[in-house]
Amino acid sequence: MPFGAGQVRVSSISAKDVREKAFRIVLLEEYRAQCAVCQAKFLLREEGKASVVEADAAHIISVSAAGPDDPRNGLSLCRRHHWAFDEGLFTVTDALTVKVSSAVLRAEQRRFDLDEYDGEALVPPAHEICRPHEEAIHWHQNKIFRQG
Ligand SMILES: [Zn+2]
């Protein structure tokens, strides 16, 4: 078997794993498995199988910066917009609208939807209590967003 596939792997479930799983479940529920930016949604439910969901539960304050697994530190984003958010190509304003970096306009783009969402409102969570926290948003605006 290549790469040791088939070997027994030792695994354990830690409290961190449980928190991350709960974070994902809550966020996808709050945003109805849609991207908060483009509303893309792919959800396949089949009996006896785990659901197939394209959307990611994205951290606003990154895990590497010790961002908490709290729904107020998260957004449901499609893979493309999760990547763009982590790269600072857009951020979220205090009014929960999308703010696209001017760097995006300097990029070579082909069939890449991002700048057209500039100024658009994010899809809100189902419950106000799960709305992105302003401290998390400010962290992303100041530490990750490409200012120009
Ligand atoms: Zn998206």
Side-chain angles (χ1 to χ4, degrees):
M1 291 253 191
F3 313 116
Q7 289 178 7
V8 175
R9 187 188 307 238
V10 176
S11 67
S12 63
I13 296 175
S14 66
K16 184 173 175 288
D17 294 333
V18 172
R19 280 198 312 273
E20 280 177 5
K21 193 172 178 191
F23 176 75
R24 176 177 160 77
I25 290 169
V26 169
L27 273 175
L28 295 182
E29 186 76 28
E30 284 294 317
Y31 291 88
R32 297 159 294 276
Q34 293 183 90
C35 175
V37 173
C38 70
Q39 301 182 38
K41 175 176 184 169
F42 186 98
L43 171 59
L44 173 63
R45 291 190 176 108
E46 290 184 305
E47 210 176 314
K49 294 182 180 174
S51 297
V52 178
V53 187
E54 191 271 342
D56 280 337
H59 287 84
I60 299 173
I61 301 173
S62 63
V63 174
S64 60
D69 288 327
D70 180 312
R72 295 170 302 169
N73 186 41
L75 284 172
S76 171
L77 294 173
C78 69
R79 311 249 165 140
R80 170 177 297 182
H81 292 135
H82 187 180
W83 169 82
F85 188 66
D86 287 350
E87 291 289 345
L89 298 175
F90 76 92
T91 194
V92 172
T93 66
D94 292 15
L96 298 190
T97 61
V98 175
K99 183 177 179 183
V100 175
S101 170
S102 58
V104 168
L105 298 175
R106 298 195 301 274
E108 293 176 36
Q109 294 184 64
R110 184 179 164 94
R111 299 178 70 171
F112 194 94
D113 60 328
L114 180 56
D115 44 302
E116 61 261 49
Y117 297 107
D118 191 41
E120 295 284 321
L122 285 180
V123 171
H127 300 98
E128 181 66 20
I129 197 168
C130 291
R131 178 188 161 94
H133 196 283
E134 71 175 21
E135 283 179 29
I137 293 171
H138 291 168
W139 182 90
H140 191 272
Q141 290 168 354
N142 294 320
K143 303 279 188 188
I144 304 297
F145 182 61
R146 291 171 193 259
Q147 299 289 345

